[in-house]
Amino acid sequence: DAVIVAEPTMGDIHLSEAGLSWVRVTIYGRSDHAGVRYSNIYPQKEPTPIGGGNGVNAIEIAQRFLALVHQLERDWGRRFIHPLLPAGITTINPGVIHGGVGLGEDGLLIVRSNAAMIPDLCVIDFDFKFMGAFEERKAEFEALFDALAINDSWVQENRPKAKWHHSNIYFPPIDTPLNHPLADMIRASRRALGLETISTGFPAVTDGAFYAGAGVPPLIYGPAGSGLHGNDEYVEISSLVESAKVYAGAILRWCDIA
């Protein structure tokens, strides 16, 4: 019926967060020897002395693709404005990139340490934040493959591929109403302790996303602290006690006991 996710929020109520998926994009080229790269750039009248000369550098295609992703990210930052979330929260972060030759069973490159080879593959893992319907944002992202293919017959015939929810990472967005009864009960519990309450949005993702995806509106509320995900992560004891009192008060109100 109701969900409080007890992440540290400095005593603020967080009612919204962007959705998140990881997406792995594989971009295809054609391998060759770097010694004949010149013939890839400047067509020759005669064959190269060592053969080859028709390589397509997947890393260079990836450079163009990243520029398109950058444009889409900026466009989303202007289009998707949420009153409780920071401007531009819908980031598309290229977090991991591999370039090389030959695709292994793990989806990564077999040869990743030989700069004398023109890479036939480039694999990029993105941290993909979104608002609204996931399928619509997914379609906008994959439309970049079409944009990449304009005036490029190689990409037209060798379209990049996207693997969504890579590593099983998918968090639906949260958008709990400001006047949700449980939020009002937390505010009432804080008022009883002489505390004001700020309502805002969470900049990262939490387990509340899975409740939101199941149709249960969650909110995120917890104590003050610092060093999140660091060696010295902590919450302040006094704030922890305060949060426990607020939880208790909200639960009593929700259960119609107080």
Side-chain angles (χ1 to χ4, degrees), residues 77-211:
R78 292 187 293 268
R79 284 168 53 199
F80 299 111
I81 305 299
H82 193 287
L84 299 183
L85 291 168
I89 193 67
T90 49
T91 54
I92 311 172
N93 182 59
V96 180
I97 185 167
H98 300 271
V101 175
L103 195 63
E105 293 182 1
D106 60 356
L108 297 178
L109 291 308
I110 296 172
V111 180
R112 286 180 272 176
S113 59
N114 189 347
M117 300 179 78
I118 292 175
D120 64 350
L121 292 158
C122 188
V123 179
I124 312 172
D125 293 345
F126 292 90
D127 182 277
F128 178 93
K129 283 189 174 180
F130 67 94
M131 286 188 196
F134 169 72
E135 291 298 328
E136 293 178 7
R137 302 294 85 77
K138 171 184 172 182
E140 289 186 55
F141 182 84
E142 292 193 353
L144 298 181
F145 299 157
D146 297 325
L148 186 67
I150 293 175
N151 300 322
D152 190 323
S153 58
W154 173 264
V155 178
Q156 291 170 14
E157 296 174 3
N158 300 272
R159 182 183 171 88
K161 292 181 180 178
K163 178 185 177 184
W164 292 95
H165 309 338
H166 172 59
S167 295
N168 294 319
I169 298 297
Y170 176 64
F171 292 77
I174 295 175
D175 199 10
T176 300
L178 273 170
N179 62 349
H180 187 279
L182 186 58
D184 289 339
M185 291 170 187
I186 286 184
R187 295 184 188 103
S189 297
R190 286 180 58 83
R191 280 197 302 272
L193 297 173
L195 303 170
E196 296 295 325
T197 306
I198 295 173
S199 298
T200 184
F202 202 75
V205 292
T206 69
D207 290 343
F210 305 118
Y211 294 96

Side-chain angles (χ1 to χ4, degrees), residues 32-50:
D32 205 348
H33 194 290
V36 294
R37 174 177 166 84
Y38 67 89
S39 67
N40 304 159
I41 303 172
Y42 306 106
Q44 306 295 306
K45 294 180 180 179
E46 302 293 336
T48 70
I50 60 173

